[in-house]
Amino acid sequence: MNREVFITCAVTGSGDTVGRHPAIPVTPEQIAAAALEAADAGAAIAHIHVRNPETGKGCRDVHLYREVVERVRSGNRDVIINLTSGMGGDMDIGTGETPLELGENTDLVGPITRLAHVEELLPEICSLDCGTLNFGDGSMIFVSTPDMLRAGAKRIRELGVRPELECFDSGHVWFAERMHKEGLLEDPALYQICLGIPWGAPADTAAMMSMRDRIPAGAVWSGFGIGAAQMPMVAQAVLLGGNVRVGLEDNLWIEKGVPASNGSLVEKAVTIIENMGARVISPEETRKKLDLRQRK
């Protein structure tokens, strides 16, 4: 069991959740306010996507990231900023016998282009999605090949940013371990076990334990489940020695039929962690745990 737990809050994500919740953060001002709310509730790390303010859809515009980061840093210099680098990997496979006639939802760029906002803004952490994944029931694929991952990991290390190795299935942990052996990752490596996303690993004890068991000794890991599995996986991650992630990216409800806020989800996670006899640690303590370089 981990008795010194940091909380990450994923405050908005890029999924189609705007119409399913009354207050999904969309504008830079709303996203920054959500990150600050999560920090006030006890989150050490704010995991940040941006959205097109006109459509609400996820995007990768550098100027939107810049506004969010500036607002967060001016409001709370202690919270650790973790920017996604997962945008730009979507491939909408063509239907039937024409798979190369890609659909309108395709947004596929190279690994360095996916890091444009990271290069400019230099967060302490950025995510790195560690493998290709069938995404949902249709024809969407998230593309992250071994060559792309090696190029991305190399550039992230050159920038002095810590990659959060997002692993959606056991093979992703395996490849992240391979990058560590190849010297592409600095110690302590930071893994994020992502459970319940169709069609990756399910959100259950067996999957989390199996993926945890592949993580190298000395690495730090966190875990989460989506939807109704979010809070059970908070408890499970702590019991298995990990840290936790909550937030509206992964779950819209604080209880059945009651919309959540990022602050309420963090508060509930804090209650679970403390009731288990563990302690939620601060951003400063989390920086020491992850050997991060604080940005001024």
Side-chain angles (χ1 to χ4, degrees):
M1 178 172 166
N2 179 16
R3 297 190 181 274
E4 302 285 328
V5 181
F6 65 75
I7 298 175
T8 296
C9 185
V11 299
T12 189
S14 61
D16 185 20
T17 53
V18 172
R20 296 165 50 206
H21 185 282
I24 292 293
V26 171
T27 68
E29 183 178 8
Q30 291 167 345
I31 295 168
L36 295 171
E37 175 195 12
D40 288 344
I45 302 172
H47 177 59
I48 295 171
H49 290 246
V50 295
R51 293 177 180 263
N52 182 318
E54 301 298 323
T55 66
K57 293 184 178 180
C59 67
R60 48 187 175 82
D61 290 356
V62 174
H63 76 278
L64 295 175
Y65 278 106
R66 184 186 308 113
E67 183 177 347
V68 173
V69 168
E70 287 174 354
R71 287 178 178 274
V72 173
R73 285 178 173 162
S74 66
N76 184 333
R77 289 195 172 274
D78 288 334
V79 66
I80 298 165
I81 293 175
N82 173 353
L83 299 183
T84 184
S85 71
M87 305 303 292
D90 293 335
M91 180 181 285
D92 187 1
I93 300 294
T95 59
E97 299 305 308
T98 57
L100 293 181
E101 295 180 8
L102 301 180
E104 63 180 9
N105 293 317
T106 296
D107 178 30
L108 186 61
V109 298
I112 305 306
T113 301
R114 298 182 197 186
L115 295 170
H117 58 300
V118 176
E119 294 208 7
E120 178 168 329
L121 301 171
L122 295 177
E124 293 175 78
I125 302 173
C126 74
S127 64
L128 184 63
D129 298 326
C130 287
T132 298
L133 181 72
N134 288 329
F135 207 77
D137 276 334
S139 296
M140 285 296 297
I141 293 176
F142 177 80
V143 179
S144 188
T145 67
D147 282 347
M148 288 177 170
L149 282 164
R150 288 186 173 100
K154 180 176 182 292
R155 184 60 183 143
I156 291 168
R157 180 164 184 170
E158 290 169 349
L159 294 170
V161 176
R162 179 60 48 88
E164 178 195 53
L165 306 164
E166 290 199 338
C167 299
F168 297 84
D169 213 342
S170 58
H172 298 181
V173 184
W174 187 9
F175 189 74
E177 181 186 15
R178 177 67 182 177
M179 288 194 292
H180 188 265
K181 290 179 178 178
E182 292 176 2
L184 293 168
L185 307 174
E186 288 187 338
D187 291 322
L190 171 60
Y191 287 72
Q192 182 71 262
I193 296 176
C194 313
L195 301 178
I197 297 91
W199 293 106
D204 60 32
T205 300
M208 184 175 280
M209 184 177 293
S210 174
M211 293 170 74
R212 181 213 56 182
D213 288 348
R214 288 213 65 95
I215 293 173
V220 178
W221 70 275
S222 178
F224 70 90
I226 67 168
Q230 185 170 80
M231 295 305 163
M233 289 298 103
V234 165
Q236 188 63 85
V238 175
L239 283 171
L240 291 177
N243 301 279
V244 306
R245 169 173 138 173
V246 294
L248 290 179
E249 177 175 350
D250 307 322
N251 171 40
L252 302 179
W253 312 101
I254 192 65
E255 57 185 76
K256 188 173 182 179
V258 180
S261 67
N262 285 292
S264 67
L265 292 171
V266 173
E267 288 170 355
K268 191 168 186 177
V270 169
T271 298
I272 292 169
I273 293 164
E274 290 180 343
N275 284 347
M276 294 172 69
R279 185 175 71 88
V280 175
I281 65 173
S282 68
E284 181 181 1
E285 291 170 301
T286 303
R287 283 188 179 91
K288 291 178 180 177
K289 191 171 190 174
L290 296 175
D291 192 23
L292 297 178
R293 306 166 190 179
Q294 184 170 9
R295 307 300 184 184
K296 303 297 184 181

